[in-house]
Amino acid sequence: MKLYHSPKAPNPERVTLFLKAKGKLDAVEIEEISIMQQEHKSEDYRKLSPFAQVPVLVLEDGTCLTESRAICTYLEGIFPEPNLMGADAKEKALIEMWDRRVELMFFMPFAAWFRNSHPAMAALEDPQCEVTAQKSERSARSFVKRLDGHLAENDFIAAGRFSIADITAYVACGFAGVMKWQPHEEFEHIGRWHKRLSDMSFASA
Ligand SMILES: N[C@@H](CCC(=O)N[C@@H](CS)C(=O)NCC(=O)O)C(=O)O
């Protein structure tokens, strides 16, 4: 299997951390694609990723999987242990519920804030829109405040244990640093949860 990856880009990082948490990073060959040099927009790359995005996982039979979560679903299927997406119907639903909340209400609005306001993103997000940036920043900050309240009463984000929802939120907290925002320093309970994850082996280099 081959994983097309971009260092520092958060969506590919969701997949590499998921693989690390499975202890299976070695199961994929990694090919780096430079987003800043727009390598993902080449004709050849678009044959793998029609929407010109990273990551892509290319399977042995040539099937191309895009969408980080779909890639993780495949990896969970072939590497079932440790379970990161739910062992029974209730856990699966709780983990998916929280993972979607984190992706849709934190990760995506944060990305829209960053892309619409940071000078480094001007070439990729043309035109940038200040109003979208402001509204997206408000949405991301509002969700993170609610997440802090949730983590005041829970050690992990979903189902009382480590899961893909923690990985998605952990990547989003790191990604926030590009706007000089550190949710794990700003919020006590996110900070406690973040430290717990940082101490786990999947988070080490
Ligand atoms: N929904 C996709 C999003 C993928 C995505 O947006 N990837 C970013 C890097 S983190 C990208 O390829 N950006 C290129 C661009 O915007 O031109 C996923 O979950 O994999």
Side-chain angles (χ1 to χ4, degrees), residues 88-120:
D88 58 25
K90 185 170 139 187
E91 267 207 332
K92 281 181 183 157
L94 284 170
I95 291 169
E96 182 173 345
M97 176 180 87
W98 272 105
D99 195 39
R100 286 178 62 83
R101 285 176 174 167
V102 171
E103 177 164 12
L104 298 174
M105 296 190 231
F106 178 12
F107 204 103
M108 299 294 289
F110 177 79
W113 167 23
F114 169 55
R115 292 179 65 107
N116 281 282
S117 59
H118 198 289

Side-chain angles (χ1 to χ4, degrees), residues 9-12 14 35 40-41 52-55 67-68 103 115 124:
N11 280 295
R14 289 166 67 191
I35 294 180
H40 62 302
K41 299 211 167 156
Q53 292 178 326
V54 278
E67 295 301 326
S68 312
E103 177 164 12
R115 292 179 65 107
L124 288 177

Side-chain angles (χ1 to χ4, degrees), residues 13-145:
E13 194 186 6
R14 289 166 67 191
V15 174
T16 51
L17 289 190
F18 190 87
L19 276 165
K20 280 188 183 179
K22 295 267 181 198
K24 293 289 183 188
L25 189 58
D26 290 351
V28 297
E29 178 193 343
I30 292 191
E31 177 150 340
E32 289 189 1
I33 293 290
S34 168
I35 294 180
M36 297 319 282
Q37 289 176 25
Q38 310 238 3
E39 286 174 359
H40 62 302
K41 299 211 167 156
S42 72
E43 211 176 296
D44 278 352
Y45 187 74
R46 279 178 200 272
K47 287 180 190 149
L48 308 175
S49 174
F51 296 99
Q53 292 178 326
V54 278
V56 180
L57 182 69
V58 183
L59 309 186
E60 301 302 339
D61 69 357
T63 302
C64 293
L65 298 177
T66 62
E67 295 301 326
S68 312
R69 200 179 199 284
I71 294 172
C72 291
T73 298
Y74 178 77
L75 295 171
E76 177 91 347
I78 60 170
F79 303 127
E81 297 299 332
N83 178 289
L84 296 175
M85 297 180 82
D88 58 25
K90 185 170 139 187
E91 267 207 332
K92 281 181 183 157
L94 284 170
I95 291 169
E96 182 173 345
M97 176 180 87
W98 272 105
D99 195 39
R100 286 178 62 83
R101 285 176 174 167
V102 171
E103 177 164 12
L104 298 174
M105 296 190 231
F106 178 12
F107 204 103
M108 299 294 289
F110 177 79
W113 167 23
F114 169 55
R115 292 179 65 107
N116 281 282
S117 59
H118 198 289
M121 287 293 105
L124 288 177
E125 194 69 41
D126 182 21
Q128 289 180 305
C129 173
E130 187 48 35
V131 175
T132 302
Q134 284 169 10
K135 286 182 75 170
S136 304
E137 176 181 357
R138 253 200 325 271
S139 301
R141 286 188 186 278
S142 149
F143 177 78
V144 162
K145 192 170 173 197

